[in-house]
Amino acid sequence: MAEPSHIPHEFTACPDCDLLLQTAQSDHTLEGRCPRCKAVLWHAAKHTDTVSFAAAISGLILFYPAMTLPILKLKMVGQHGSNSLLGGIYRMWVEQEQILAVLIMLCSLLAPLLHLLLTAVVCFSVRFNHYPSHFPLWIKYKCWMQSWNMLEVYAMGIIVAYVKMMHDGEVTVSAGTYCLSGLLLCVILCSQYFHEEQAWQHWEKNKPA
């Protein structure tokens, strides 16, 4: 889990190659990268918390339909069928695949949900300048949930299943696919536009005495 740090006024060390660099205060208005290994030293992008907050709220709105609506509708040999993410987890549990069902539930359901929820809470606190004592825990658990979030792996599985079954029968993309695609986009935006360093700096400046 990450710990708080500061953008120094005169010197900074690259977190990847340990190169010591001299910086000026004006440098911090732009993104800083190491000249040797190109690692990101600090972010100074504007409105990133707005994008993260909007993506997190949108993802939370899309979460329930993405989990419950049918993803693919199948028609093979005169038989019809459809399944959702929650339905797939339940089917694996019934077929004695409990370990796989639990892993999919943790990585494709609980981790994305907590990732979106914690991102929304942290960005809400930053936007309204309200920092409760457990704000650091929100940042740490948000980053932890992000590392466990593997919703894109499930999405790749859907694509593989679609390609394999499209020649054996009629496969129709259903509403759940569009909701899941939107949810995946929101999760990606939360990961790309949320800058942990800036959140820690807001906390250091405004933490309760």
Side-chain angles (χ1 to χ4, degrees):
M1 293 184 183
E3 296 295 337
S5 59
H6 304 277
I7 296 176
H9 295 295
E10 296 180 359
F11 293 96
T12 186
C14 176
D16 290 352
C17 67
D18 294 327
L19 178 65
L20 187 63
L21 301 168
Q22 186 172 10
T23 62
Q25 185 64 32
S26 59
D27 293 339
H28 301 148
T29 59
L30 303 173
E31 182 180 72
R33 289 185 177 271
C34 175
R36 181 161 65 186
C37 68
K38 306 303 180 183
V40 177
L41 303 178
W42 63 80
H43 294 280
K46 296 181 179 179
H47 310 301
T48 55
D49 58 331
T50 303
V51 176
S52 299
F53 185 62
I57 296 299
S58 301
L60 291 172
I61 294 173
L62 290 170
F63 191 85
Y64 182 77
M67 297 295 119
T68 58
L69 290 178
I71 296 174
L72 295 177
K73 291 184 178 180
L74 313 175
K75 183 179 180 182
M76 294 183 180
V77 199
Q79 296 184 350
H80 299 265
S82 63
N83 211 343
S84 62
L85 194 149
L86 281 177
I89 294 174
Y90 174 75
R91 185 68 178 269
M92 290 180 186
W93 185 272
V94 171
E95 294 182 355
Q96 307 302 318
E97 295 288 347
Q98 285 87 355
I99 296 178
L100 184 58
V102 170
L103 286 175
I104 293 177
M105 183 178 66
L106 290 176
C107 298
S108 299
L109 194 152
L110 292 180
L113 176 61
L114 291 175
H115 177 206
L116 292 169
L117 184 60
L118 290 170
T119 301
V121 171
V122 171
C123 292
F124 180 86
S125 298
V126 171
R127 286 179 61 83
F128 291 94
N129 201 30
H130 176 68
Y131 301 92
S133 58
H134 39 276
F135 182 80
L137 290 177
W138 292 347
I139 303 176
K140 292 180 180 182
Y141 288 133
K142 183 269 176 193
C143 297
W144 190 44
M145 287 297 106
Q146 180 176 331
S147 64
W148 279 93
N149 179 11
M150 299 181 185
L151 189 62
E152 66 278 4
V153 177
Y154 189 85
M156 289 298 298
I158 295 172
I159 296 174
V160 172
Y162 177 80
V163 172
K164 282 189 173 183
M165 292 185 295
M166 63 186 303
H167 299 294
D168 299 327
E170 183 179 343
V171 184
T172 306
V173 176
S174 189
T177 302
Y178 301 107
C179 293
L180 186 62
S181 300
L183 175 61
L184 183 58
L185 178 61
C186 292
V187 170
I188 293 173
L189 290 175
C190 286
S191 301
Q192 292 295 318
Y193 283 89
F194 181 86
H195 297 317
E196 179 188 354
E197 180 75 22
Q198 290 183 350
W200 281 119
Q201 289 171 11
H202 284 297
W203 165 252
E204 288 296 324
K205 293 178 181 178
N206 301 281
K207 63 182 178 180

